[in-house]
Amino acid sequence: MTVLRSIELFLRRTGMAATRFGRECVRDPRFVHDLRRGREPSERTRRRVEHFMNIYEEGGQ
């Protein structure tokens, strides 16, 4: 599964806005928008995104 697909599913499950996700996860409110337009995140950013989503869904927000 691509990182964008994982994020899209996360956003649907949590009801979080894409801009909030980007701001809280990688300090970039345009992050999800840029991914939707073809931006490819680095491996480090991918790990950071996965970690953020896991912690958030475990109740650590």
Side-chain angles (χ1 to χ4, degrees), residues 4 20 24 26 34 42 44 47-48 51 55-56 61:
L4 177 58
R20 178 180 169 205
E24 291 187 15
V26 294
D34 290 346
S42 67
R44 181 178 182 205
R47 287 192 308 265
R48 188 171 176 179
H51 179 73
I55 295 300
Y56 188 92
Q61 69 269 25

Side-chain angles (χ1 to χ4, degrees), residues 1-14 16 18 21-22 25 31-32 35-36 41 45 49-50 53:
M1 181 178 312
T2 67
V3 79
L4 177 58
R5 179 79 175 130
S6 297
I7 292 169
E8 296 287 8
L9 292 172
F10 173 84
L11 295 177
R12 278 194 211 108
R13 278 194 309 271
T14 63
M16 183 181 289
F21 178 87
C25 183
F31 178 68
V32 176
L35 291 177
R36 290 172 178 161
T45 301
V49 166
E50 288 177 21
M53 292 189 296

